[in-house]
Amino acid sequence: MKQNRSFALLIFVVILGLGAALAYARYRVAGNFEAGVIGVGAFVLAIVVSAAIQVADQWDRAVILRLGHFHALKGPGLFFIIPVLDAIPYWIDTRVITTGFKAEKTLTKDTVPVDVDAVLFWKVVDPKKAALDVADYQSAISWASQTALRDVIGKTMLSDMLEGRDKISTLLQKIIDERTEPWGINVISVEVKDVLIPAGLEDAMSMQAQAERERQARVILGDAERQIAEKFAEAGKSYEHNPIAFHLRAMNMLYEGLKENSTIVIVPSTAVESMQLGGLAGMTALTMGLGQDRTNGHKEGEIKKQMEDAVRVKEILNSTEPKTSP
């Protein structure tokens, strides 16, 4: 529109300038009367021509009414109208237009008040219908979008609304497109931006989700304990008929515990006898050797050497014990 006014003003100035130049030339030859007539005629001609010449942008369509009746659609580019007879009440923008709309404190199907914000993408595909069949098509499509959004919210559960925004957007697009199609408007897409719920309900849902995650964690932990117990049962079956392997495993566990954690370990006497460590003297030698080794910072190979010394102490103790005759 601004470009159109600029072009019309330029035409007006050019024609008026040519008329003024012609009137001045005629004034020097014929006198004041003819010069005045030429000047007035140039002024009227400039007004008529500047009003008749119109320019529409690439995205604009001009709705032309002649004596109150629809005459034609013009644009884009340069076109002409008949001043006084023709009028341009609407310049229709055919580009994609975005319109934001919302529904506040609307109850869902499960009676939860929500605030929903959405954006509508639409364009005019029939400028004649948009101009003649509805008074203000932009306001009409805004109100149609809000009422459609409220209808969809009232028929949707809160959980479905939070999880399935794409479905709601598709449904809204279909409903709004059906309502605006008689106006020559095509709805391209609808995007639900945000769904706001009351703060108390949001906290309750957060607590519910946290409790659900804790329940799943406990279930996973229990299942892991079950699997560990099954593996221990399988391992127990492997050691059931192999006491040597069982003794080696027990000695290895004792060794690892002494090496990593503490210098003193209390072991039941039955375990000591089953591992054949030579009683209290063997255990004392083993513990002292590992403790001294950790204090001096020796390597793992020297720790094993201390264990071998403990085994030799055990053999010596066994050899020194008196043997009873049968």
Side-chain angles (χ1 to χ4, degrees):
M1 291 297 295
K2 184 182 292 186
Q3 182 180 359
N4 187 24
R5 288 193 295 268
S6 300
F7 185 76
L9 180 61
L10 177 63
I11 295 297
F12 177 81
V13 172
V14 170
I15 295 177
L16 187 61
L18 292 176
L22 183 61
Y24 178 75
R26 194 63 183 171
Y27 169 75
R28 299 187 63 181
V29 175
N32 294 334
F33 179 75
E34 292 186 6
V37 172
I38 292 174
V40 172
F43 179 76
V44 173
L45 180 63
I47 293 177
V48 172
V49 173
S50 61
I53 296 178
Q54 301 290 330
V55 177
D57 293 327
Q58 179 65 37
W59 54 85
D60 283 335
R61 301 294 183 270
V63 179
I64 300 176
L65 300 180
R66 179 166 293 176
L67 297 177
H69 295 279
F70 175 77
H71 175 65
L73 285 174
K74 297 294 185 178
L78 181 67
F79 63 94
F80 299 90
I81 62 173
I82 301 176
V84 181
L85 298 181
D86 293 343
I88 304 177
Y90 297 109
W91 291 82
I92 306 298
D93 192 338
T94 59
R95 293 175 293 181
V96 176
I97 302 174
T98 59
T99 301
F101 60 100
K102 63 174 60 178
E104 297 181 351
K105 305 301 180 182
T106 305
L107 295 179
T108 62
K109 189 175 181 180
D110 47 353
T111 64
V112 177
V114 295
D115 297 340
V116 180
D117 293 335
V119 179
L120 178 69
F121 298 87
W122 58 278
K123 67 180 299 184
V124 177
V125 294
D126 192 340
K128 179 181 177 180
K129 289 183 178 180
L132 303 180
D133 294 349
V134 60
D136 187 352
Y137 63 90
Q138 293 187 352
S139 296
I141 195 172
S142 178
W143 284 110
S145 302
Q146 288 187 12
T147 55
L149 179 59
R150 290 181 179 274
D151 292 341
V152 171
I153 292 174
K155 298 177 182 178
T156 307
M157 301 291 289
L158 178 62
S159 58
D160 297 335
M161 186 175 299
L162 296 176
E163 296 176 359
R165 294 189 182 184
D166 294 339
K167 295 181 180 179
I168 297 177
S169 299
T170 304
L171 182 59
L172 280 173
Q173 177 183 352
K174 181 180 178 181
I175 295 175
I176 299 173
D177 194 35
E178 291 177 353
R179 294 182 180 181
T180 58
E181 184 179 3
W183 306 335
I185 296 173
N186 179 32
V187 177
I188 299 174
S189 65
V190 179
E191 301 292 338
V192 177
K193 294 194 302 181
D194 197 8
V195 178
L196 300 178
I197 61 177
L201 180 59
E202 185 176 357
D203 294 339
M205 295 177 65
S206 177
M207 293 176 62
Q208 180 182 0
Q210 184 176 357
E212 178 63 22
R213 288 193 295 268
E214 185 176 355
R215 184 189 67 84
Q216 293 179 358
R218 290 178 179 273
V219 170
I220 295 173
L221 181 60
D223 186 66
E225 292 290 342
R226 179 185 59 82
Q227 294 179 8
I228 293 173
E230 292 178 355
K231 295 300 181 182
F232 278 152
E234 294 178 2
K237 292 180 180 180
S238 300
Y239 291 126
E240 183 177 4
H241 302 292
N242 194 347
I244 298 176
F246 178 73
H247 290 165
L248 291 176
R249 177 58 180 164
M251 293 178 66
N252 183 65
M253 291 176 63
L254 180 60
Y255 164 71
E256 293 293 337
L258 293 172
K259 181 182 71 172
E260 298 294 338
N261 297 324
S262 61
T263 57
I264 299 177
V265 177
I266 299 176
V267 181
S269 59
T270 55
V272 175
E273 293 175 358
S274 62
M275 288 185 286
Q276 299 178 1
L277 292 178
L280 182 60
M283 283 296 297
T284 303
L286 176 61
T287 303
M288 292 178 63
L290 289 175
Q292 183 179 2
D293 181 71
R294 185 164 50 253
T295 304
N296 297 332
H298 291 171
K299 297 181 179 179
E300 184 177 355
E302 296 180 358
I303 295 176
K304 292 182 178 180
K305 183 179 179 182
Q306 293 291 338
M307 289 190 65
E308 294 175 356
D309 294 339
V311 173
R312 285 197 294 270
V313 170
K314 171 253 181 186
E315 293 175 354
I316 294 171
L317 290 174
N318 289 336
S319 61
T320 57
E321 291 180 356
K323 296 182 181 180
T324 58
S325 59

